[in-house]
Amino acid sequence: MDAAGETPAGTLPGEESPEMDLSHRFSKRELALLYEEVLYTILHRLGKPKHDHVADAQELYAYVQKAFGMDAEEHSIIMQQVKALESPIFCLKATVKEAKGILGKDVSGFSDPYCLLGIEAKSHEPAHPDHRKRMKAVVKDLIPEDQIHRTQVISQTLSPVWDETFILEFEDVETASFHLDMWDSDTVESVRHKLGELTDLHGLKRIFKDARKDKGQDDFLGNVVLRLKDLPCSDDQWYQLEPRTETYPNRGQCHLQFLLTHKKRATTSSRTQPSYTVHRHLLQQLVSYEILQHQAGSIAWDGELSRHASTVLYLHATQKDLSDFHQVMAQWLAYSKLYQSLEFNSNCLLHQITSIEYQWVQERLRPEQKAELAESFQSLLTYGVSLVRRYRIIFPLSVPRSTERLQSLLRVLVQMCKMKAFHELCTLSPDLPQMVSKALKSGTAEWFHMKKQHLKPMVKSMEENGKALSRLLLEVIGDLQQCQKIWNKFFINTLKLNLFFITYLELESLVAEHVQEQLREVDSSMSKPTAESLFQLYMNLQELYRMKDFLPKREGPLALSSFHQWFKEAVPQWLQKAYTIALERAQRAVQMDQLTPFGEHNKHSTSTVDLSTCYAQIVKTWQQLNWPDPEEAFMIMVKLVEDMCKIALMYCRLIKERAEALSLNERNEGKAANRLCIVVNNIKQLRLLIRKLPLQLDWAQLEQRTGDVIDQQQIQHTLHNQLDSTVSCLDHEVRDVVQALATKLEKGIARHIQELSSSNDTREPEDDQTGHSLPTSSLWEEAPLGPPALPAPASTALPLSPLCPAGCGPPALPNAPLLSLQSIIPLMKFLESELQYLNEHLVHENFKSLLALLWHHTLAVLSAAAGQQGPSTQRYKKLHCALKSLELCFHAEGCGLPLETLHTAAFLSLETHLALCSATSRKLIQKYFSNRIQQQLDTSSEKYGAVTIKALYRPSEQKLRVEVLNAVNLIPLDSNGSSDPFVQLTLEPRHEFPEVVARTTQCKRNELHPLFDEAFDFLIPPEKCRQEGACLLLTVFDYDTLGANDLEGEAFFPLRHLPGLDTDEDQADAGRVPQTRLPLTHPKPTGDEILQLLESRKGDKEAQAFVKLRKQRAKQSKETE
């Protein structure tokens, strides 16, 4: 059986293929005799038609004429011959099965029933339907005694069971009627015996009634009268027993079976062949016609016959009196033979298998029938297994319901092999799973060789052979996928066979043998097309080998276990091709790149997209290779990484050259800078791609695989170091380009700072204590919507730059004179105009790198400007203002450079230096005392001794009261090893307390631990105490009569921490004021930056006087450098 609807090759339409099994066809003579049989059956039809059968004989004649392919003339001739034949003897096969609910006529309450039955030749129709007297006549009064049949007597029961069959002949079905009388058999018994059986009053009445009867007279129990023309061909039902009188209307029921049959049929077939064989031939002819006429195609035919075919077969089976078992046998033989030539749904066979199994009794069959049945089993088994062997062709998935058909066939084969009849008749019962397994193996091999031959290249070359092998592998893989996903479950469920296991092992072995044979001619000098075709073949083999994961556990290696070794000669070609394709694509991408952002939200150009695709393709090549050998896989990885690093470095060189070429004739320097921004972003994007390679190439898994054969340090040295080296090169390239961008700005920054520092200002304002507001810089803003509005030159607001988020409040720049703020506006304008585009077109990381370079350069320029000779205070103020402004702008409230990046050592040193240089002399003096106060607080050593005081401020009197208690551990300054100490008290800085005179204690002779216990009052306002550097200076001298007093030491007591200064009420009890012990210190003899600044201000008398005083103290200092 070929696939549905297919005509064998070389056969013209309408011709019969020599390979097709036409055993279901009959010769013309056989067909004519069979046609005579079926016409005879219709002509002599008996019984009332069933509701689902065809009643019209002409319809049946027309149907069988088509089914047998008879033309009108042939039909007419055979019809005349049939009519000329002698009519059959009509028979009613009546079976009296049982009865229930009959009357109990005996004294015991039971009856001894039996039946009399026969056929009345001519029944008389009653004048009125209700008039049934004639119908109630007893059988022995209507039918001759020799035509009356009698059942056995069933003693003492009301539910007798006879199950007796009688053949009743009749001549005319229209006039004949069937009669059955049921009687209670009576035998002569003594009164004493009857009284012994008496059970109730009804039994007593029966005794009296019997006494009036004639001895031995049977009692009537009821009858059934049926007209034969009202009976169907076969009938099986319960009939009501009718009474002769209305005394007992309910007389029970009788179960009867009827079959209207023929005897002595005059047809040739009936006379020469067994009824079973004739019926099978008729069934075979009609079913083949039904299948061929099925509108949806034969494979969709599910065994359901048309009304006409069902009617004809029903009539023939009943007329021939075929048993149900023989009918099922005939159906099985016909259907199983037809299935081998006309494909239809094999589920049709399951019904016959079930019926035969249910009704199987071997003794029912004659030897020839047993042989015929056994041959049908063996024939269908052989044919079914052959279909399974060629299931790919017979049940293609492109044809609807193919899976259902194969599954149905497998079920039929399994059920057939389980039948009792199969095991009893087929002496050598085969092992079905083993047969199917063997068939699947041979069928798979046949399919593979057929595909191999079909895909054989016309031109014999290695390249064409490789392509043909790849196509063959795709076919094999597709077939195995169908096996695994679709077909396998059917074989497992029905036969417990793993189709995928069988097919995979067979195909895997065949593929390995064939591919190895074709690859023997491969060497390292193969052409590129050959290498390309082999790569596709390698991937297909890899996919085929991976399918082994679906196999159940098995022992031993597969034929494809080392398939990768067959392609070792081609691997270098594959890697070189991947590198060449990626390199050429990257070169083309750079040549086409205009170095402009390719999207609204992107800051790199189109070439990075192509470069990313190139790398992705190389990564894909590695994943596709999936080389099994770990050591060889490591070498492949080294080559791929080396190639990708080469491409990266080549790209950097080409993209820089591209930027130079585009800017060669460009007059607009801004556009050239913009292209450099894109170059930086592109290289940074490339760096990200390089950094992702270990994850994309799964180095961790490779290191795990190669752990036993390659040292970890070798992997680190070979792969990681190579990648790190490339990243370092990229970072260097980024720094170079960013440095180039920074260099373009550094000159402008240096020029503006130089102009700022060298500008002549006519105004030298004194201390401006008002903090001016510095507008927030927007230099750090990611993408400003438009150019910011610049302030008027006279305004104190600095121009906004694109860094800081919108809406930030302007930070205040303390102690920044108006003139200084105005002087840095040109610098801020310059930075805004130059950095705005860079911020928009550089990625944030690169922009921060640029800002870091600019920041370091700016600090260097400011430091150089601050170090020039002869600077004025006003100039230092402008430089300091510029430094603080730039710090705020570059930090941008956290959106720009972090403070740790800004606050370098150079910045902190410069900030301190400029803050000092820009301060007034008095500010410097205040700063000097602040420093000395801090030194005092940090000093714990008393190597020069210490002085103890009490200090209390009375706010109500604005009076500072100081008690000098004592001094201890003074150093001896006189030749006698002692000293003459006294303490001088001054309020510093002097310009804050101009009217407060110095006070001194009494001199204590020859004392190193003098006790003074003296109190002093100073009238000073509280706000003066809170000034920066405000302190009480306690200087301990050694009194000398002839020369200057020697310095024992000095101590600084900060006034801002005076007890009572921050309270509203006076502390009346001075005794509660804590004592303060102050270690004595000596000033450093040289190196104080503030004193040097003050000394440089030659025209400032106050500064010079302060320096002179401090120098005198420094000369007396015992401190060394």
Side-chain angles (χ1 to χ4, degrees):
M1 177 178 62
D2 292 325
E6 291 185 0
T7 302
T11 304
L12 296 175
E15 292 184 353
E16 294 181 352
S17 170
E19 291 82 17
M20 182 179 293
D21 181 8
L22 299 178
S23 58
H24 68 284
R25 303 288 178 88
F26 301 102
S27 66
K28 193 169 184 180
R29 168 65 179 166
E30 291 172 334
L31 199 62
L33 294 178
L34 195 58
Y35 192 61
E36 176 190 62
E37 177 75 15
V38 72
L39 292 182
Y40 191 85
T41 300
I42 299 171
L43 179 63
H44 298 289
R45 178 177 187 172
L46 294 174
K48 182 180 179 181
K50 291 187 175 181
H51 69 280
D52 56 343
H53 284 178
V54 178
D56 187 359
Q58 294 304 318
E59 282 190 42
L60 295 179
Y61 288 139
Y63 169 77
V64 297
Q65 183 180 348
K66 293 179 182 178
F68 280 76
M70 297 291 179
D71 57 28
E73 182 179 357
E74 289 173 324
H75 171 75
S76 178
I77 293 173
I78 298 176
M79 189 67 191
Q80 290 301 324
Q81 294 173 356
V82 168
K83 290 181 178 179
L85 293 175
E86 182 180 356
S87 297
I89 298 175
F90 300 140
C91 300
L92 176 65
K93 186 177 182 181
T95 300
V96 183
K97 302 291 289 184
E98 57 185 321
K100 61 183 179 180
I102 63 175
L103 296 178
K105 292 291 187 176
D106 294 343
V107 174
S108 61
F110 294 99
S111 293
D112 304 315
Y114 67 93
C115 298
L116 297 176
L117 61 157
I119 292 181
E120 181 186 7
K122 293 184 178 181
S123 62
H124 301 281
E125 296 291 336
H128 191 274
D130 294 335
H131 182 62
R132 306 184 60 171
K133 183 176 181 180
R134 177 63 181 166
M135 301 294 287
K136 295 179 181 178
V138 295
V139 170
K140 54 189 175 183
D141 295 337
L142 297 175
I143 302 172
E145 186 175 353
D146 60 342
Q147 298 179 15
I148 296 176
H149 300 268
R150 177 187 177 113
T151 68
Q152 295 179 356
V153 176
I154 308 299
S155 301
Q156 294 298 294
T157 181
L158 298 180
S159 301
V161 176
W162 292 283
D163 200 15
E164 296 183 39
T165 301
F166 305 92
I167 304 297
L168 309 176
E169 297 180 0
F170 61 91
E171 294 180 358
D172 188 358
V173 71
E174 295 295 327
T175 60
S177 62
F178 169 80
H179 288 260
L180 179 143
D181 292 345
M182 188 178 296
W183 298 86
D184 171 40
S185 176
D186 253 347
T187 57
V188 179
E189 296 177 344
S190 65
V191 175
R192 178 179 296 179
H193 184 268
K194 291 181 179 180
L195 288 174
E197 297 177 353
L198 186 63
T199 58
D200 53 15
L201 291 176
H202 292 287
L204 187 59
K205 292 180 181 179
R206 293 190 191 99
I207 293 177
F208 293 142
K209 185 177 180 180
D210 287 344
R212 296 195 297 268
K213 288 194 316 178
D214 295 334
K215 291 182 179 181
Q217 183 178 355
D218 295 340
D219 293 320
F220 182 77
L221 296 177
N223 70 349
V224 176
V225 180
L226 301 171
R227 291 179 299 184
L228 296 189
K229 67 178 182 179
D230 294 333
L231 288 176
C233 284
S234 63
D235 191 31
D236 185 348
Q237 62 176 303
W238 288 86
Y239 291 93
Q240 196 73 31
L241 291 172
E242 299 292 342
R244 287 189 296 182
T245 66
E246 300 301 326
T247 307
Y248 296 103
N250 186 10
R251 291 176 173 265
Q253 294 176 304
C254 185
H255 183 194
L256 301 174
Q257 288 181 349
F258 297 112
L259 187 67
L260 293 170
T261 65
H262 290 174
K263 287 172 63 176
K264 296 185 178 180
R265 290 166 62 93
T267 62
T268 304
S269 297
S270 294
R271 288 185 287 106
T272 58
Q273 294 179 345
S275 299
Y276 159 80
T277 303
V278 176
H279 185 73
R280 178 168 65 85
H281 291 167
L282 177 60
L283 179 67
Q284 196 168 309
Q285 180 64 28
L286 294 183
V287 169
S288 63
Y289 174 74
E290 291 282 313
I291 294 173
L292 295 175
Q293 292 301 308
H294 194 64
Q295 293 182 354
S298 64
I299 59 175
W301 188 72
D302 58 0
E304 183 178 358
L305 297 173
S306 66
R307 292 172 59 243
H308 299 79
S310 298
T311 303
V312 171
L313 291 172
Y314 173 76
L315 292 175
H316 187 263
T318 54
Q319 290 176 12
K320 301 286 280 186
D321 193 14
L322 285 176
S323 67
D324 291 341
F325 178 72
H326 282 87
Q327 289 184 53
V328 170
M329 283 279 296
Q331 290 174 6
W332 165 258
L333 293 173
Y335 278 54
S336 62
K337 182 173 285 292
L338 285 173
Y339 181 75
Q340 299 175 44
S341 55
L342 297 175
E343 184 178 9
F344 55 86
N345 192 336
S346 55
N347 278 333
C348 304
L349 301 172
L350 287 176
H351 173 69
Q352 285 87 41
I353 290 175
T354 305
S355 298
I356 292 175
E357 181 71 3
Y358 181 73
Q359 303 178 42
W360 176 250
V361 177
Q362 187 175 359
E363 287 71 20
R364 291 183 181 180
L365 299 179
R366 295 189 298 274
E368 62 271 17
Q369 291 176 331
K370 293 179 182 180
E372 195 174 25
L373 187 57
E375 192 278 333
S376 72
F377 288 152
Q378 194 62 49
S379 175
L380 182 62
L381 178 61
T382 303
Y383 182 73
V385 171
S386 72
L387 294 185
V388 174
R389 179 173 59 85
R390 297 179 294 132
Y391 76 91
R392 298 173 178 86
I393 301 172
I394 304 302
F395 306 102
L397 291 176
S398 58
V399 177
R401 300 180 64 184
S402 290
T403 56
E404 299 175 20
R405 289 160 45 215
L406 177 59
Q407 186 180 15
S408 173
L409 172 61
L410 293 175
R411 283 202 302 264
V412 167
L413 294 178
V414 170
Q415 294 301 320
M416 182 182 72
C417 292
K418 289 181 178 179
M419 294 171 64
K420 291 181 290 186
F422 182 86
H423 288 285
E424 292 179 13
L425 298 180
C426 300
T427 53
L428 298 176
S429 299
D431 184 346
L432 180 61
Q434 184 178 359
M435 284 182 64
V436 173
S437 177
K438 184 177 179 181
L440 288 173
K441 287 182 181 179
S442 62
T444 299
E446 290 174 8
W447 175 85
F448 177 80
H449 292 302
M450 179 191 71
K451 287 293 181 182
K452 183 177 70 173
Q453 189 66 28
H454 177 71
L455 297 173
K456 188 175 182 180
M458 300 295 293
V459 179
K460 291 186 177 180
S461 67
M462 195 60 234
E463 179 183 351
E464 292 300 321
N465 283 345
K467 293 179 180 179
L469 287 173
S470 295
R471 291 193 293 268
L472 179 61
L473 262 291
L474 289 177
E475 293 281 353
V476 169
I477 292 169
D479 182 71
L480 287 172
Q481 288 173 343
Q482 290 182 0
C483 285
Q484 195 264 330
K485 296 178 181 178
I486 300 174
W487 300 115
N488 200 39
K489 56 187 176 184
F490 302 132
F491 284 87
I492 290 177
N493 292 338
T494 55
L495 293 163
K496 301 298 184 291
L497 275 180
N498 192 320
L499 171 66
F500 178 78
F501 179 82
I502 297 170
T503 306
Y504 184 85
L505 293 183
E506 187 70 19
L507 287 177
E508 183 259 355
S509 175
L510 292 170
V511 165
E513 180 182 358
H514 182 55
V515 172
Q516 280 185 289
E517 180 182 352
Q518 295 296 316
L519 293 182
R520 286 195 180 99
E521 302 176 4
V522 174
D523 55 29
S524 57
S525 62
M526 70 187 75
S527 65
K528 291 183 178 180
T530 299
E532 183 178 350
S533 64
L534 290 183
F535 184 71
Q536 185 60 48
L537 175 62
Y538 173 81
M539 288 193 298
N540 292 339
L541 279 172
Q542 191 178 65
E543 183 178 359
L544 175 61
Y545 185 66
R546 277 198 299 264
M547 295 182 77
K548 74 181 186 305
D549 298 337
F550 298 108
L551 293 176
K553 292 184 179 179
R554 59 181 299 275
E555 296 181 357
L558 295 171
L560 289 176
S561 296
S562 58
F563 75 93
H564 62 283
Q565 297 293 339
W566 310 339
F567 298 89
K568 287 183 65 174
E569 299 292 340
V571 172
Q573 292 269 20
W574 297 343
L575 299 182
Q576 184 61 35
K577 180 184 177 183
Y579 170 70
T580 303
I581 291 175
L583 184 66
E584 292 174 352
R585 180 166 184 172
Q587 292 172 340
R588 288 195 302 270
V590 173
Q591 292 171 3
M592 301 296 294
D593 199 343
Q594 297 301 314
L595 292 180
T596 56
F598 72 91
E600 181 180 354
H601 302 292
N602 293 303
K603 294 186 177 182
H604 42 266
S605 61
T606 55
S607 60
T608 58
V609 180
D610 291 286
L611 192 62
S612 176
T613 305
C614 294
Y615 277 17
Q617 188 58 46
I618 294 178
V619 171
K620 183 179 179 182
T621 300
W622 164 254
Q623 294 170 346
Q624 289 174 331
L625 277 175
N626 193 22
W627 200 258
D629 184 270
E631 189 171 1
E632 294 172 358
F634 174 74
M635 300 307 297
I636 293 172
M637 176 63 74
V638 171
K639 180 66 170 66
L640 290 177
V641 173
E642 179 183 344
D643 291 344
M644 286 189 279
C645 291
K646 287 181 182 178
I647 292 172
L649 298 178
M650 180 277 302
Y651 175 81
C652 289
R653 177 177 57 82
L654 292 181
I655 201 69
K656 290 170 64 177
E657 292 175 356
R658 178 64 176 167
E660 293 175 2
L662 291 174
S663 303
L664 187 61
N665 298 321
E666 183 66 63
R667 296 182 180 180
N668 188 336
E669 294 185 2
K671 290 186 178 180
N674 299 343
R675 293 192 184 97
L676 288 180
C677 293
I678 300 298
V679 170
V680 171
N681 294 338
N682 286 0
I683 297 176
K684 208 69 175 181
Q685 184 69 15
L686 174 58
R687 187 182 186 278
L688 293 176
L689 293 176
I690 292 292
R691 279 300 184 195
K692 291 179 181 178
L693 289 179
L695 182 61
Q696 293 176 339
L697 294 172
D698 201 359
W699 283 7
Q701 193 264 348
L702 178 63
E703 291 177 7
Q704 184 178 0
R705 287 177 55 199
T706 57
D708 297 334
V709 293
I710 298 178
D711 186 65
Q712 185 71 24
Q713 293 183 351
Q714 183 180 355
I715 296 176
Q716 179 71 31
H717 177 75
T718 307
L719 293 180
H720 292 275
N721 289 359
Q722 187 175 26
L723 209 62
D724 292 341
S725 175
T726 303
V727 171
S728 298
C729 292
L730 296 181
D731 291 339
H732 179 73
E733 295 288 347
V734 170
R735 286 194 299 270
D736 286 349
V737 180
V738 171
Q739 183 64 58
L741 287 170
T743 302
K744 292 179 180 294
L745 300 178
E746 286 172 358
K747 295 179 181 179
I749 293 174
R751 176 171 51 82
H752 281 84
I753 292 177
Q754 184 64 33
E755 291 175 357
L756 172 70
S757 63
S758 62
S759 60
N760 295 321
D761 300 312
T762 57
R763 295 172 54 188
E764 288 275 351
E766 293 299 322
D767 297 335
D768 186 353
Q769 302 299 327
T770 304
H772 293 281
S773 177
L774 179 67
T776 301
S777 171
S778 62
L779 284 172
W780 305 99
E781 203 169 81
E782 279 290 328
L785 296 177
L790 298 179
S795 170
T796 62
L798 294 180
L800 299 175
S801 68
L803 300 184
C804 195
C808 296
L813 187 63
N815 302 326
L818 176 62
L819 188 60
S820 297
L821 289 173
Q822 290 178 336
S823 63
I824 67 171
I825 287 177
L827 173 61
M828 301 304 295
K829 278 186 177 181
F830 171 77
L831 288 175
E832 177 192 25
S833 62
E834 294 297 330
L835 294 179
Q836 182 174 4
Y837 185 87
L838 296 177
N839 180 35
E840 293 176 354
H841 291 82
L842 278 177
V843 295
H844 196 54
E845 184 180 354
N846 294 335
F847 187 60
K848 280 191 174 184
S849 300
L850 174 64
L851 289 176
L853 290 174
L854 291 178
W855 177 248
H856 293 303
H857 173 73
T858 302
L859 290 179
V861 173
L862 285 172
S863 298
Q868 293 179 359
Q869 296 296 325
S872 65
T873 304
Q874 187 62 29
R875 181 181 174 198
Y876 280 122
K877 288 181 179 179
K878 288 188 291 184
L879 292 176
H880 186 250
C881 181
L883 178 65
K884 299 303 290 182
S885 298
L886 290 171
E887 178 196 8
L888 292 172
C889 294
F890 276 67
H891 178 58
E893 299 183 359
C895 300
L897 294 177
L899 290 177
E900 54 267 24
T901 302
L902 293 171
H903 293 171
T904 61
F907 167 80
L908 296 175
S909 175
L910 179 61
E911 180 188 31
T912 303
H913 178 69
L914 291 178
L916 293 175
C917 292
S918 60
T920 62
S921 297
R922 290 186 173 182
K923 285 289 185 182
L924 287 175
I925 293 171
Q926 288 178 310
K927 181 65 176 175
Y928 174 82
F929 283 109
S930 294
N931 292 345
R932 295 305 303 272
I933 291 171
Q934 187 60 45
Q935 291 176 11
Q936 181 72 55
L937 296 175
D938 294 340
T939 300
S940 59
S941 173
E942 295 184 357
K943 67 178 181 177
Y944 300 114
V947 61
T948 303
I949 66 170
K950 281 185 177 183
L952 176 65
Y953 186 77
R954 298 181 183 277
S956 59
E957 301 175 12
Q958 294 192 354
K959 180 185 292 185
L960 168 63
R961 184 174 181 82
V962 179
E963 295 182 25
V964 180
L965 301 179
N966 59 51
V968 295
N969 300 325
L970 298 178
I971 59 177
L973 296 177
D974 292 341
S975 58
N976 60 3
S978 184
S979 292
D980 304 320
F982 69 94
V983 181
Q984 183 186 66
L985 292 82
T986 58
L987 295 179
E988 301 290 350
R990 297 286 177 86
H991 63 266
E992 294 291 348
F993 307 98
E995 299 179 355
V996 179
V997 297
R999 311 289 289 277
T1000 60
T1001 65
Q1002 295 180 1
C1003 180
K1004 303 296 183 179
R1005 297 289 181 174
N1006 298 319
E1007 276 289 345
L1008 296 179
H1009 305 281
L1011 180 63
F1012 298 106
D1013 201 14
E1014 298 181 41
F1016 305 92
D1017 292 330
F1018 300 91
L1019 294 175
I1020 54 175
E1023 61 272 11
K1024 290 294 185 178
C1025 297
R1026 297 188 177 94
Q1027 291 292 330
E1028 181 185 8
C1031 64
L1032 171 66
L1033 173 58
L1034 299 112
T1035 308
V1036 181
F1037 289 104
D1038 171 39
Y1039 177 76
D1040 281 340
T1041 304
L1042 297 179
N1045 297 326
D1046 296 327
L1047 179 66
E1048 285 281 355
E1050 55 187 1
F1052 299 84
F1053 181 76
L1055 298 182
R1056 65 174 58 185
H1057 300 310
L1058 275 173
L1061 180 63
D1062 297 324
T1063 59
D1064 295 335
E1065 298 181 0
D1066 296 342
Q1067 288 180 281
D1069 186 5
R1072 298 175 58 188
V1073 177
Q1075 296 180 2
T1076 301
R1077 182 171 175 137
L1078 300 170
L1080 295 177
T1081 63
H1082 281 210
K1084 293 183 179 180
T1086 57
D1088 191 293
E1089 185 180 9
I1090 295 177
L1091 294 179
Q1092 292 174 357
L1093 286 173
L1094 289 171
E1095 186 178 10
S1096 66
R1097 298 177 181 180
K1098 301 299 183 180
D1100 191 337
K1101 295 180 180 180
E1102 184 177 6
Q1104 295 302 315
F1106 179 77
V1107 171
K1108 182 178 179 181
L1109 176 63
R1110 298 315 302 171
K1111 278 189 173 183
Q1112 291 176 355
R1113 297 283 176 87
K1115 288 180 180 179
Q1116 298 176 324
S1117 174
K1118 302 298 184 182
E1119 287 290 320
T1120 58
E1121 292 294 337

